[in-house]
Amino acid sequence: MSHDIPTTHAVSAVPAAPDDLLASYHFDLPPERIASRPCETRDACKLMTVSRATGEVADAVFSDLPDLLPAGALLVVNNTKVAPVRLFGHKPSGGAAELLLTTPVALLAPTVDPDTGWAVAPASGLLRVSRPPRPGDRVDFAPDLRLTTTRRGQFGRTDFILHWQGSLPDILCRIGHVPLPPYIHRADDADDRETYQTVYARDDKLGSAAAPTAGLHFTEALLARLRERGFGLAAVTCHVGIGTFSPVRVDDIRDHAMHKEWIEVPGEAAEAVKRAKVEGRPVIAVGTTAARTLEGVVREAGEMTAFAGETDIFIRPGYAFHVVDGMVTNFHLPGSSLVIMLAALVGRQRLLAAYARAVASGYRFFSYGDAMLVL
């Protein structure tokens, strides 16, 4: 049984409908609606509720979440940890270089020289230098961290061999920067090391190049209230990378190809999801990355099961959700794959109407912005 929408080659011969056109997912967003800092208290942000059935919207506060969720709902969070993977270095010539390491740190498979302690591992990232790098070019970030390029791809994506001596997480914590999105027009600071991280991020899941931002609104106290009210909580992993934040660059979104991202569903999470589905309790994904993980497992494995591997699933209108019944999410960029995914869940016109209302009502957008609950 197929769990995927038709392939690009199967649908591109069919004339595009409005839901297929990238232009249909653009909307006007005044720059002042883009949040550059989070709320002082994580769960004090605004929360808009949107009905999948009717499109009806209402306003709340994120701390109201236990009163808004359906009874018995299972929340599924993404426990990946954001690494300080924005690195500044230089070439031997002295030219400046900037790297966003997108290979999850937790997935690097190094070979270590026992005599020197130097480790090497293949990796990828977005490398910005004055001239396109050639195979064999070197970039130094610190005396104990450098890379040697192996292949240059599109839009700055580069494959390379990463060389380091000692603990890579420790090196990144010492010299790396929090990978704030480019629409936040300021340098990262010490506060971002805490606020651009969910409270349930796990050290052994280090590797995301962007935060699963819907989860930023949860506090330990709110999680405790949810448990006390009988709501289930399950954790999966999606190491957020190019697949999530790469822009859609085609006019017909049926031709968009997602980059692969690493996802993992442990056995206990898979069982919790299956049990909720059998019992008729809704499964609510906390964020688009948790949703892609759940739906991606079904596509890659054919069923909800324990899984560790990659997925490039692209969810767009016309997709039938197999696991996700609702979503906690942020307000996303116009024309992004995240807006397109939400349109598949709630309907494009209803979503855009909700976004227009959010703009008019003063909601804050993007990573550090306010939240939406789709049910």
Side-chain angles (χ1 to χ4, degrees):
M1 180 177 64
S2 173
H3 292 281
D4 205 4
I5 54 179
T7 65
T8 297
H9 299 294
V11 298
S12 55
V14 179
D19 279 357
D20 301 326
L21 300 176
L22 181 61
S24 298
Y25 298 90
H26 285 283
F27 54 89
D28 292 328
L29 182 67
E32 60 269 21
R33 293 273 64 84
I34 300 172
S36 63
R37 295 280 183 182
C39 283
E40 185 173 345
T41 303
R42 288 177 183 259
D43 61 1
C45 70
K46 292 182 178 181
L47 176 67
M48 175 181 286
T49 63
V50 182
S51 168
R52 293 180 65 187
T54 66
E56 181 181 356
V57 300
D59 301 314
V61 177
F62 199 84
S63 58
D64 296 334
L65 188 63
D67 299 320
L68 300 172
L69 290 171
L74 174 68
L75 289 168
V76 181
V77 302
N78 179 7
N79 62 8
T80 188
K81 187 168 187 177
V82 181
V85 290
R86 188 181 183 203
L87 302 169
F88 295 92
H90 58 85
K91 298 184 292 185
S93 63
E98 179 181 343
L99 173 70
L100 182 68
L101 176 64
T102 57
T103 298
V105 176
L107 300 183
L108 288 172
T111 300
V112 181
D113 186 325
D115 295 326
T116 65
W118 277 91
V120 297
S124 299
L126 301 178
L127 181 64
R128 180 183 297 175
V129 289
S130 57
R131 294 181 181 179
R134 297 167 299 181
D137 283 358
R138 172 173 166 167
V139 176
D140 292 286
F141 301 101
D144 49 0
L145 180 65
R146 65 177 187 269
L147 66 78
T148 305
T149 61
T150 57
R151 189 180 70 88
R152 178 75 164 182
Q154 290 185 312
F155 310 117
R157 188 173 186 185
T158 306
D159 297 331
F160 47 83
I161 301 298
L162 199 63
H163 309 252
W164 70 92
Q165 189 177 42
S167 165
L168 182 58
D170 289 349
I171 296 170
L172 294 176
C173 286
R174 188 183 80 239
I175 69 168
H177 293 260
V178 177
L180 294 178
Y183 49 75
I184 295 180
H185 300 294
R186 62 173 177 82
D188 65 303
D189 56 30
D191 288 342
D192 294 306
R193 295 238 170 175
E194 178 180 353
T195 58
Y196 199 63
Q197 198 81 263
T198 65
V199 297
Y200 44 75
R202 283 177 40 170
D203 290 342
D204 62 337
K205 303 297 182 182
L206 183 69
S208 279
T213 55
L216 298 181
H217 307 294
F218 286 85
T219 64
E220 295 287 3
L222 179 57
L223 291 170
R225 286 175 54 211
L226 288 165
R227 293 188 184 97
E228 290 168 0
R229 294 281 294 272
F231 297 106
L233 291 169
V236 299
T237 304
C238 175
H239 289 308
V240 187
I242 293 177
T244 292
F245 57 72
S246 181
V248 179
R249 302 179 185 273
V250 292
D251 294 331
D252 187 333
I253 66 171
R254 295 174 297 176
D255 294 327
H256 176 64
M258 296 285 285
H259 292 282
K260 291 183 178 181
E261 289 177 319
W262 179 269
I263 61 173
E264 184 176 354
V265 175
E268 59 269 25
E271 290 302 316
V273 170
K274 289 193 290 186
R275 187 162 55 250
K277 301 301 284 187
V278 168
E279 295 173 354
R281 294 183 289 113
V283 175
I284 311 298
V286 177
T288 56
T289 58
R292 285 189 67 225
T293 299
L294 294 171
E295 299 295 325
V297 166
V298 174
R299 191 188 75 167
E300 307 301 335
E303 61 179 341
M304 175 49 58
T305 186
F307 180 88
E310 293 181 320
T311 187
D312 59 358
I313 188 171
F314 175 41
I315 298 174
R316 58 177 175 80
Y319 177 87
F321 284 84
H322 300 279
V323 182
V324 174
D325 301 301
M327 194 184 305
V328 177
T329 185
N330 278 26
F331 292 89
H332 299 291
L333 280 75
S336 65
S337 64
L338 311 182
V339 164
I340 293 169
M341 178 193 294
L342 285 170
L345 186 66
V346 76
R348 178 178 59 85
Q349 292 179 319
R350 285 175 176 169
L351 180 70
L352 292 178
Y355 269 45
R357 186 180 185 279
V359 171
S361 301
Y363 277 72
R364 302 162 74 244
F365 276 63
F366 304 166
S367 295
Y368 273 150
D370 295 316
M372 173 184 284
L373 173 63
V374 178
L375 295 173

